[in-house]
Amino acid sequence: MAQPMSGSKLLEVLRAEGLTVHEVRDWRHHNRNTKGPWGPVNGVMIHHTVTSGTENSVNICYNGYSGLPGPLCHGVIDKEGHVHLVGNGRANHAGLGDSDVLRAVVDETTLPHDNQADVDGNRHFYGFECVNLGDGKDPWPEAQKEAIEKVSAAICRHHGWSERSVIGHKEWQPGKQDPRGFTMDGMRGRIAARLAAGGGGTNQGPKPGPKPKYAPFPGSGFFHVGRKSPLITAMGRRLVAEGCDHYAKGPGPEWTEADRTSYAAWQHKLGFRGKDADGIPGRASWDRLKVPSDG
Ligand SMILES: [Zn+2]
């Protein structure tokens, strides 16, 4: 369970993953929030458009069509592997799906077969439409599949999710067959490898060689009340060194309000504002803090 990312944060994590991202018209304010809730978010859903052509597909996903108003997803992934952001908030992509599947996604356990449509998916999933005719013949270029992998990994890493939080529309809603042309198990394997590698710029799996000097970003979901880790002490020491010190008794291993306010000061120092300076670490600010990996 997690609060949805702001538009700025989503853009940031996608670009940090090495993706080319295009912002379409007024996507930051384009949503279906007046029709129902958005969040808490639990996962990422992958679709195919049953359309061809980037511009045509992006327009349809932004506008929707009679009977199904847009946005029809959050981002469109074209055949070159570029991401076009068309919505920020609730989007018409998932419809009603299987509550047992939602439970499995939340628990990150094995997916059951989807055999009922009893829960609102538009509330709980980020949605990405991939340009493909869905006829089983239209090819899926490697650049496009790599972009699906990167988008999914970026969002999972931010929220502290595993690859099990990524599903296909066909795994959610009875009667759906998208995406067609690759297997979701195969895609989840790629996402897992990218997450294990620490993300950003490679899908070759963990790199050999010396241990990285700085601790990789563990995902925003890592930082919550009740979390205890030497990493939080190490982070606190770095915040103090940067002059972002709201600790009464100095940093400790347990995540507290003092950690949050100190981290918010660090985000402010870097120029982040509003929801992007809420004191919950994000990848960009974390990487610049350079927390030693050995504590
Ligand atoms: Zn779909």
Side-chain angles (χ1 to χ4, degrees), residues 194-211:
R194 174 166 289 273
L195 288 169
T202 174
N203 61 357
Q204 307 299 310
K207 289 189 205 100
K211 209 177 155 194

Side-chain angles (χ1 to χ4, degrees), residues 99-120:
S99 54
D100 299 321
V101 171
L102 180 60
R103 193 167 311 116
V105 169
V106 170
D107 296 342
E108 302 200 312
T109 56
T110 308
L111 287 177
H113 180 64
D114 54 328
N115 59 6
Q116 51 191 359
D118 60 344
V119 64
D120 171 18

Side-chain angles (χ1 to χ4, degrees), residues 46-48 93 129 169 176 178:
I46 304 299
H47 305 259
H48 64 218
H93 70 97
E129 286 279 359
H169 197 189
K176 292 291 173 181
D178 61 321

